[in-house]
């Protein structure tokens, strides 16, 4: 018997409402499918098992239409569809599907039709979601097409089994420098990802170390191909993170210079070998010249020269190079007030716009720093209209509580995707500019996949939002809560409420007003106000006894604000119009500066930290009310995390408040206890 959290949102609990169950049974008794195909078979199997579990019914599988109600499944090539339906399906974009009820001389049918097999699979998961949520199926008329073509997950898994920034156990792919022997869990994972529309992933860390460099040669390619085969059944394409210095480390060359013909030839050979093993291989993900990783800079070449050489090697096979823009000087001296890590990605890549080959996609983190609880959107979005680029989010909660704290991140991602860049005038949101979305995985081999059970909502939400960025964060949380915990209204409502408040709660008791980084250096957990202030890594808040914040304005600061289009550039640059929540990201101000909310900066710090710790305690109290309304084990595992969060939030509150009281000498207006 699996741990109940293992099933995540695919619980497939028996449908309780008997009216609905009868309605569903009338459709589900007969599944009609006339085609064969790997992904199509997965879809049929999933539908059968979901129907069996939710309706207690073993559907008959037929190849021809019958007179009574039935579910018809097919691609645009299926003879089961009418000519009109076939045409409609073939006009859909890649991965699209429609799902509708039809009644005519051919019988009563619920048709799930995709342009291709993957669309059919997504349509079947959609129907299963409907059943789980108790939705009406009598008059369906749904057409679904993904808003983003590439919907990816990046694993930061190392072959020794560890996961960089992983908070949910060990890797599900690797152990002791080998692939794991039991691949069952990988298939279960592929199923979860497919259920929310993910269609690509990398399995190894973007920091590619020695052993992992060999994933692209004969040392491991048979295993990689086997794993790619598992994902293929679920419509997911496999990519690998590649080491830019591989021609030296595994190829025996003396250089990795992208303009050296022997290097290009080496990569062409490597790509040919990869594709011989995995014909539908997605491509390479590359972090170069960043945080001490090798790259083209060593040879005096730029990123475009570096990426294009790899792109040429992959081009004959339709592969892509996904090139990281997380490039900055991580050794900045604190005396140097002009170098600004936030500026770096734009400064490096904007001048190269238009120089990348078509099969290069730049991967840009949502913010200019590194997945802090609050950052402005990276100004690179919108500034490169001749280069394909994609969004990178972080599911793994490196800076947002490491899956010991609750932090539902979908609202943060929504803000980033909706951000109006003004690149082509008003109404140019980030989501309209990107070729795809990816996120750093938050799963490991823990029983519940994500360490914190409620962190599963981030994985679910990421998939849903990368399929359709118009969905609301609340709507997604509601779906997730009901699919995970069942229809008991009190549970679903409480979980929804906890999720939607959690990001703000976490922000309240951690780094204030967009300044970020007040964590312990290295592992990034727990409060340490000056941890990065006095570290060589160079990420500063410049707090002294008078004020705090980073001056990124045009006149007196690093002029980072000018990397945005107007009116954003002026809005951030001007103290009066800069949003409070990002004030300290853009401005250095005295503690007595009045925010737009009316509070002073120092009083805001005190208030939010007292509030945040209290709110975290409140989460424990509301969760306790759910005792007895769900299985004991899931109740207990969440309770344990929430209790830890509440304790840790107090530590955050006290360390931050005490630091600023002593620095500023200004006491709390409300006279609360500050240590
Ligand atoms: C963060 C993270 C690193 C990671 C890096 C990246 O800095 O702490 O572990 O390698 O992001 O995205 O490359």
């Amino acid at each position: 018997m699996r741990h109940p959290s293992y099933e995540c949102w695919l619980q497939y609990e028996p449908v309780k409402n008997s009216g609905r169950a009868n309605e569903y049974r009338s459709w589900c008794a007969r599944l009609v499918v006339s085609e064969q195909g790997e992904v199509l078979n997965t879809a049929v199997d999933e539908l059968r098992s979901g129907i069996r579990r939710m309706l207690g019914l073993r559907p008959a599988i037929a190849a021809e239409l019958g007179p009574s109600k039935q579910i018809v499944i097919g691609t645009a090539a299926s003879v089961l569809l009418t000519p009109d339906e076939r045409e409609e399906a073939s006009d859909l974009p890649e991965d699209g599907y429609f799902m509708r009820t039809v009644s005519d001389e051919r019988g009563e049918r619920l048709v799930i039709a995709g342009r291709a097999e993957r669309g059919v699979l997504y349509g079947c998961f959609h129907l299963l979601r409907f059943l789980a949520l108790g939705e009406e199926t009598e008059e369906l008329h749904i057409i679904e097409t993904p808003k983003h073509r590439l919907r990816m997950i990046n694993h930061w898994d190392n072959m020794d089994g560890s996961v960089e920034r992983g908070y949910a156990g060990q890797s599900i792919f690797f152990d002791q420098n080998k692939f794991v022997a039991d691949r069952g869990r990988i298939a279960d994972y592929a199923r979860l990802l497919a259920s929310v529309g993910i269609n690509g992933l990398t399995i190894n860390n973007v920091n590619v170390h020695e052993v992992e460099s060999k994933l692209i040669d004969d040392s491991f390619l048979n295993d990689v191909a086997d794993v790619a085969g598992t994902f293929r059944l679920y419509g997911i394409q496999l990519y690998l993170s590649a080491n830019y210095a591989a021609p030296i480390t595994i190829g025996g060359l003396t250089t990795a210079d992208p303009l050296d013909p022997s290097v290009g030839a080496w990569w062409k050979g490597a790509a040919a070998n990869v594709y011989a093993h995995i014909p539908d291989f997605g491509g390479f993900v590359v972090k170069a010249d960043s945080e001490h990783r090798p790259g083209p800079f060593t040879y005096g070449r730029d990123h475009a020269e570096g990426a294009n050489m790899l792109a040429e090697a992959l081009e004959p096979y339709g592969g892509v190079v996904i090139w990281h823009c997380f490039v900055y000087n991580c050794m900045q001296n604190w005396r140097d007030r002009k170098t600004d890590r936030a500026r770096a990605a734009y400064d490096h890549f904007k001048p190269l716009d238009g120089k990348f080959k078509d099969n290069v996609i730049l991967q840009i983190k949502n913010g200019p720093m590194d997945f802090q609880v609050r950052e402005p959107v990276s100004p690179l979005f919108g500034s490169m209209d001749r280069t394909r680029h994609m969004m990178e989010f972080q599911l793994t909660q490196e800076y947002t509580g490491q899956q010991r704290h609750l932090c539902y991140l979908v609202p943060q991602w929504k803000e980033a995707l909706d951000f109006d860049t003004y690149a082509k005038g008003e109404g140019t949101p980030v989501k309209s500019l990107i070729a795809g979305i990816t996120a750093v995985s938050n799963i490991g081999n823990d029983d519940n996949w994500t360490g914190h059970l409620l962190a599963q909502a981030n994985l679910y939400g990421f998939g849903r939002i990368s399929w359709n960025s118009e969905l609301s964060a609340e709507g997604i949380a509601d779906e997730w809560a009901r699919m995970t915990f069942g229809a008991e209204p009190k549970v679903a409502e409480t979980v929804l409420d906890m999720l939607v408040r959690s990001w703000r709660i976490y922000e309240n008791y951690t780094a204030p007003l967009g300044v970020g980084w007040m964590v312990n250096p290295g592992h990034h957990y727990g409060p340490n106000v000056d941890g990065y202030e006095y570290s060589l890594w160079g990420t500063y808040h410049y707090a002294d006894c008078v004020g705090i914040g980073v001056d990124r304005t045009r006149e007196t600061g690093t002029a980072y604000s000018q990397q945005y289009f107007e009116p954003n550039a002026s809005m951030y640059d001007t103290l009066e119009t800069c949003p409070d929540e990002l004030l300290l990201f853009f401005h250095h101000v005295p503690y007595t500066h009045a925010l737009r909310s009316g509070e002073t900066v120092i009083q805001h710090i005190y208030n939010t930290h007292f509030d945040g710790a209290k709110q975290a305690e409140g989460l424990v109290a509301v969760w306790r009310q759910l005792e007895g309304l769900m299985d004991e084990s899931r109740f207990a595992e969440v309770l344990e995390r929430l209790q830890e969060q509440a304790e840790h939030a107090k530590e955050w509150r006290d360390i931050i408040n005490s630091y600023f009281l002593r620095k500023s000498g200004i006491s709390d207006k409300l006279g609360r206890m500050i240590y």
Side-chain angles (χ1 to χ4, degrees):
M1 181 53 190
R2 285 289 194 190
H3 192 273
S5 316
Y6 185 84
E7 300 277 359
C8 297
W9 51 89
L10 299 176
Q11 297 283 324
Y12 295 154
E13 286 287 311
V15 174
K16 293 213 177 66
N17 175 331
S18 58
R20 272 280 186 266
N22 287 337
E23 173 192 322
Y24 297 159
R25 280 194 195 101
S26 67
W27 290 116
C28 295
R30 183 178 163 92
L31 303 184
V32 196
V33 54
S34 64
E35 299 153 288
Q36 286 289 330
E38 278 187 328
V39 178
L40 205 75
N41 294 348
T42 306
V44 174
D45 287 349
E46 186 69 32
L47 203 50
R48 279 166 92 177
S49 99
I51 289 171
R52 187 173 48 74
R53 286 167 60 183
M54 285 190 272
L55 304 173
L57 182 82
R58 281 182 196 281
I61 307 284
E64 276 162 27
L65 297 174
S68 55
K69 280 181 156 183
Q70 57 211 299
I71 297 178
V72 176
I73 300 165
T75 68
S78 171
V79 293
L80 298 171
L81 304 185
T82 64
D84 282 355
E85 285 169 345
R86 275 204 291 275
E87 195 181 324
E88 190 183 341
S90 56
D91 285 346
L92 289 168
E94 194 182 339
D95 295 352
Y97 60 89
F98 65 78
M99 180 157 84
R100 77 170 57 114
T101 45
V102 193
S103 175
D104 58 20
E105 63 288 351
R106 290 157 56 110
E108 263 194 285
R109 332 189 273 293
L110 192 162
V111 181
I112 302 176
R115 181 173 118 170
E117 291 185 46
R118 202 147 63 186
V120 177
L121 178 65
Y122 297 151
C124 290
F125 274 118
H126 193 153
L127 181 66
L128 290 165
R129 185 164 74 236
F130 260 39
L131 305 192
L133 293 174
E135 303 280 344
E136 151 102 63
T137 52
E138 281 307 317
E139 283 192 29
L140 285 183
H141 192 92
I142 289 170
I143 302 174
E144 281 279 338
T145 58
K147 294 269 188 294
H148 305 285
R149 215 188 68 73
L150 259 181
R151 304 177 299 278
M152 277 185 75
I153 296 279
N154 292 148
H155 280 266
W156 285 355
D157 294 23
N158 299 314
M159 288 197 72
D160 64 3
S162 64
V163 179
E164 179 158 333
R165 312 303 179 188
Y167 312 108
Q170 295 287 102
S171 171
I172 65 162
F173 302 110
F174 309 115
D175 187 29
Q176 299 179 45
N177 292 334
K178 293 200 199 67
F179 277 76
V180 294
D182 174 10
R183 309 275 158 94
R185 182 141 194 178
I186 299 177
D188 291 343
Y189 179 50
R191 172 174 170 254
L192 285 175
L193 295 186
S195 76
V196 287
I198 300 295
N199 64 2
L201 95 165
T202 53
I203 55 173
N204 65 309
N205 191 354
V206 69
N207 297 313
V208 188
H209 306 297
E210 203 183 323
V211 195
E212 295 81 1
S213 299
K214 298 188 201 149
L215 282 167
I216 62 169
D217 78 14
D218 287 338
S219 327
F220 294 113
L221 267 176
N222 286 335
D223 287 308
V224 179
D226 188 54
V227 169
T230 301
F231 282 106
R232 184 179 304 118
L233 297 179
Y234 288 88
I236 299 169
Q237 235 182 331
L238 191 114
Y239 298 66
L240 288 172
S241 300
N243 178 355
Y244 201 79
I248 302 172
T249 52
I250 60 171
L253 303 189
T254 52
T255 176
D257 180 353
L259 299 194
D260 185 308
S262 68
V263 172
W266 187 85
W267 278 109
K268 284 191 176 127
N273 194 23
V274 171
Y275 279 92
H277 287 82
I278 311 163
D280 60 347
F281 179 68
F284 295 138
V285 171
V286 184
K287 170 177 175 182
D289 289 314
S290 164
E291 300 185 330
H292 312 298
R293 302 311 303 156
F297 286 178
T298 311
Y299 311 98
R301 316 296 181 198
D302 65 25
H303 286 278
E305 289 165 322
N308 288 346
M309 180 273 299
L310 289 178
E312 254 169 52
L314 296 171
E315 203 170 22
Y317 315 95
V320 296
V321 175
I322 299 181
W323 191 267
H324 277 229
C325 294
F326 185 60
V327 178
Y328 66 101
N329 173 4
C330 60
M331 295 281 131
Q332 182 198 337
N333 190 305
W334 61 272
R335 293 176 188 83
D336 168 10
R337 290 294 186 109
K338 281 292 168 191
T339 302
D340 179 2
R341 176 170 171 179
R343 291 188 57 109
Y346 183 102
D347 285 343
H348 279 290
F349 287 93
K350 163 80 183 158
L352 300 176
D353 188 21
K355 297 207 168 131
F356 291 92
K357 286 180 74 78
D358 287 348
N359 62 329
V360 176
I361 303 177
L362 299 184
Q363 178 163 319
I364 308 171
K365 291 190 182 188
N366 60 288
M369 299 298 274
D370 193 15
F371 304 130
Q372 300 301 294
V373 66
R374 176 79 63 176
E375 287 187 41
V377 169
S378 168
L380 256 187
F381 292 106
S383 68
M384 312 240 329
D385 61 356
R386 287 172 296 146
T387 306
R388 291 169 77 201
H389 52 281
M390 68 195 288
M391 169 65 85
E392 178 182 355
F393 291 129
Q394 196 183 43
L395 281 162
T396 195
Q397 292 171 235
E398 177 177 358
Y399 298 96
T400 49
Q402 305 199 349
Q403 284 137 256
R404 315 223 51 97
H405 294 228
L406 178 62
C407 194
Y408 176 58
L409 290 163
V410 180
Q412 186 199 56
W413 304 332
K414 280 284 292 182
E415 274 189 24
L417 293 167
D418 289 343
F419 178 74
D420 195 346
T421 63
Y422 287 86
K424 298 184 182 114
E426 191 172 358
T428 325
V430 170
K431 64 189 172 194
S432 70
L433 301 167
I434 51 182
I437 311 190
T438 190
V440 183
S441 161
N442 63 350
I443 71 113
N445 69 357
D446 275 3
D447 280 341
N448 67 6
W449 300 92
T450 50
H452 200 311
L453 166 56
L454 301 188
Q456 290 177 1
N458 283 329
L459 181 57
Y460 179 83
F462 171 71
R464 299 286 288 130
I465 209 164
S466 62
W467 177 272
N468 181 0
S469 33
E470 300 303 322
L471 295 174
S472 76
E474 295 74 25
I476 293 172
D478 175 59
E479 266 176 24
W480 178 80
R482 289 191 289 140
M483 289 175 71
T484 303
F485 292 108
E488 163 63 45
K490 179 152 186 201
V491 178
E493 280 159 26
T494 306
V495 171
L496 169 64
D497 173 66
M498 291 169 71
L499 289 175
V500 295
R501 290 190 300 123
S502 59
W503 175 35
R504 179 62 81 162
I505 294 176
Y506 186 79
E507 181 178 24
N508 278 347
Y509 59 77
T510 58
L513 299 165
V515 79
W517 295 105
M518 293 182 172
V519 289
N520 285 300
H523 60 70
H524 298 162
Y525 192 64
N528 185 344
V529 182
D530 279 342
Y532 272 104
E533 195 61 19
Y534 296 106
S535 126
L536 266 185
W537 206 260
T539 314
Y540 308 110
H541 55 61
Y542 301 116
D544 57 19
C545 63
V546 183
I548 177 174
V550 188
D551 186 349
R552 295 190 160 109
T553 63
R554 187 161 59 97
E555 285 294 314
T556 52
T558 67
Y560 163 80
S561 61
Q562 302 309 299
Q563 294 183 338
Y564 292 90
F565 290 87
E566 287 296 356
N568 290 335
S570 301
M571 185 253 302
Y572 288 136
D573 202 65
T574 312
L575 199 50
E576 290 70 36
T577 54
C578 183
D580 283 350
E581 64 210 19
L582 288 170
L583 186 78
L584 303 182
F585 193 93
F586 285 97
H587 297 271
H588 185 89
V589 294
Y591 295 111
T592 49
H593 171 80
L595 295 168
R596 298 171 76 194
S597 69
E599 284 300 351
T600 59
V601 167
I602 190 73
Q603 194 57 39
H604 173 92
I605 294 175
Y606 297 147
N607 290 353
T608 49
H609 285 77
F610 281 112
D611 288 353
K614 200 176 268 160
Q615 289 162 333
E617 211 162 33
L619 292 174
V620 178
V622 285
W623 185 259
R624 278 193 189 285
Q625 293 169 11
L626 304 183
E627 185 157 18
L629 298 178
M630 69 178 73
D631 51 278
E632 180 53 32
S633 80
R634 288 196 290 175
F635 173 76
E637 68 177 88
V638 175
L639 181 64
E640 183 253 325
R641 299 268 157 154
L642 293 173
Q643 284 170 328
E644 182 178 337
Q645 175 180 2
E647 276 314 301
H648 203 212
K650 287 187 210 149
E651 186 182 328
W652 268 100
R653 173 197 66 195
D654 293 338
I655 286 179
I656 301 269
N657 281 346
S658 172
Y659 178 96
F660 286 105
L661 174 70
R662 294 186 58 181
K663 272 263 144 123
S664 70
I666 303 171
S667 46
D668 171 30
K669 266 195 331 209
L670 301 179
R672 289 163 290 196
M673 176 60 160
I674 295 178
Y675 296 94

